[in-house]
Amino acid sequence: MPHPVRTLLHTLQGWLATCSLRQPGRLARKHVLPAASHRSIAWPLLTFGLLLAATVWMWRSTAAEVNQIARERFDFKVAEALFAIEQRLLAYEQVQRGGVALFAASNEVTRDQWRTYVRQLNLEKNYPGIQAMAFSRRLLPAELNGFVQRTRSEGLEDYAIRPAGERAEYVPVTYIEPFDWRNRRALGFDLISEPTRREALLRSQDTASPSATGKIKLAQETNEGVQSGFLLCMPVFPRGDVPPTIEGRRAALVGQACSVFRMNDLMRGILGPEKLPNIHLQVFDGNAVSADKMMYDSRQEPSATPPESAAFATDQAFEFDGRVWTLRFNTLPAFDATIDVQKPRLILASGLLVSVLLAAVVWSLSLNRRRAAS
């Protein structure tokens, strides 16, 4: 039994015991009646106040307990999703390292060898979310024409480096697999010509480590079903030997091996419908939370603002390979409906009813005692 209720019952028992005492004489009643009149009001108010305090305490304790249980369920789902994303990206990074190792094991990797390597990975089945794996060779202006002619002689008569124009260096997509209609659109695209891709490529070659781009529109995209995308790039050096200095790495770089990701496909492949039931997830590029930085929305909604009606919401910073994503989680009405809000409400309603009834009983006893004393 809660402590406030137990205290109240003991108080009521003591008061009722006084009611059973012999009534005082006529002379004494003249002095007792005013005090009894005050007590006839004070005792019911005291009873109601104590019971109300106990009710509010139990109501708030129960509401806090219910809210804590729901919060722990929400936090667990968020942690589970973050872990799944982290582990999947680490696995994909290892796949990328395998492509770099292929170049380290051979003086020259041909188009057919790259196709065989990627085909053995069976990306669609084993690594859902990877749109393609590509190799982009680094070229200086003097090497450009010879490279284009050799590529065309391999059966790609329409191969061209785009966008056109003179640059200090070029990193065009040379091999890309699977070589389907969508990935063909990226063949020949110069990665270093676009600022977001360029930043990741330079970071990759200077640090000799994996480097992810920010939010980009992939060359594979059409005008329908457009998804945000990003690249995960790793530098390729001759025989896998990494020069110890930045200047040496820039001079020795052969090219970049890149995995291509479409965000909607990637997140569906990682989470699916079962990992985040009844929770809304949005992914933003960088630390800023805004519509133009949004890379993924599990509900495909344009707003970057969580609904005010959500019971729980949190923003989590996620870092990997030189990039930061902000993951915003908030509960959906289906999740909020599972929170047991009826339990604290029932305690509140029941407590108020008991408080009123017991206060009425005490009031009645007080009136009876007053009448008996008069």
Side-chain angles (χ1 to χ4, degrees), residues 23-344:
Q23 299 297 327
R26 185 183 302 274
L27 185 61
R29 291 191 187 114
K30 294 180 180 179
H31 301 285
V32 173
L33 284 177
S37 177
H38 291 306
R39 286 198 299 271
S40 66
I41 298 175
W43 279 107
L45 291 178
L46 177 61
T47 301
F48 181 76
L50 290 174
L51 285 174
L52 181 62
T55 297
V56 170
W57 175 78
M58 289 187 291
W59 167 64
R60 295 185 64 178
S61 298
T62 305
E65 180 184 0
V66 167
N67 187 76
Q68 181 64 24
I69 292 173
R71 164 62 74 175
E72 289 175 356
R73 284 197 295 119
F74 173 70
D75 290 343
F76 177 79
K77 288 298 181 182
V78 169
E80 189 178 42
L82 290 172
F83 181 77
I85 295 171
E86 178 183 30
Q87 293 302 304
R88 183 63 62 86
L89 289 176
L90 286 174
Y92 288 175
E93 183 181 304
Q94 293 305 311
V95 173
Q96 190 71 4
R97 291 184 185 278
V100 173
L102 181 64
F103 280 89
S106 176
N107 291 330
E108 181 67 26
V109 175
T110 66
R111 190 178 305 278
D112 288 338
Q113 289 172 331
W114 185 257
R115 178 180 297 115
T116 300
Y117 169 71
V118 176
R119 184 179 298 163
Q120 291 301 311
L121 293 174
N122 197 352
L123 297 180
E124 184 175 357
K125 178 181 178 181
N126 299 322
Y127 304 96
I130 299 181
Q131 170 63 30
M133 293 189 65
F135 170 70
S136 301
R137 187 172 296 279
R138 178 177 180 260
L139 301 169
L140 297 176
E143 303 171 299
L144 201 59
N145 288 335
F147 170 78
V148 171
Q149 293 303 319
R150 286 195 304 274
T151 303
R152 289 176 176 176
S153 68
E154 295 174 358
L156 301 173
E157 293 84 359
D158 298 330
Y159 185 84
I161 296 176
R162 21 181 205 91
E166 296 184 0
R167 292 181 282 278
E169 61 180 335
Y170 303 81
V171 188
V173 177
T174 307
Y175 307 153
I176 187 166
E177 296 293 336
F179 199 53
D180 55 23
W181 69 270
R182 185 181 290 277
N183 290 329
R184 284 173 183 264
R185 296 171 58 86
L187 192 66
F189 180 77
D190 184 11
L191 301 181
I192 210 165
S193 67
E194 191 273 321
T196 303
R197 293 173 173 86
R198 177 184 178 86
E199 186 274 334
L201 294 180
L202 296 181
R203 176 160 33 91
S204 173
Q205 73 171 14
D206 289 351
T207 62
S209 60
S211 180
T213 70
K215 175 185 176 180
I216 59 174
K217 181 179 179 181
L218 299 174
Q220 285 93 330
E221 295 296 339
T222 63
N223 293 326
E224 298 181 1
V226 178
Q227 300 181 24
S228 298
F230 71 97
L231 306 180
L232 179 60
C233 302
M234 290 188 186
V236 175
F237 297 101
R239 297 173 301 281
D241 296 329
V242 180
T245 65
I246 293 178
E247 291 76 13
R249 294 167 190 167
R250 292 175 178 176
L253 185 72
V254 173
Q256 297 273 353
C258 299
S259 293
V260 183
F261 298 91
R262 301 178 82 207
M263 276 299 291
N264 291 1
D265 296 341
L266 173 65
M267 299 308 293
R268 281 196 293 264
I270 296 174
L271 300 176
E274 70 283 352
K275 285 284 196 313
L276 283 178
N278 307 326
I279 293 178
H280 182 197
L281 170 62
Q282 295 172 308
V283 180
F284 302 88
D285 180 30
N287 295 310
V289 176
S290 58
D292 64 310
K293 293 293 185 179
M294 186 183 297
M295 300 179 68
Y296 171 74
D297 190 318
S298 62
R299 301 187 71 192
Q300 301 302 307
E301 296 179 350
S303 174
T305 304
E308 296 181 359
S309 60
F312 304 108
T314 183
D315 290 350
Q316 299 286 330
F318 181 84
E319 299 184 21
F320 77 103
D321 293 336
R323 294 300 302 176
V324 175
W325 288 349
T326 299
L327 276 63
R328 168 164 286 179
F329 300 86
N330 62 263
T331 57
L332 295 173
F335 182 97
D336 299 343
T338 64
I339 302 174
D340 188 10
V341 296
Q342 296 302 322
K343 185 176 180 180

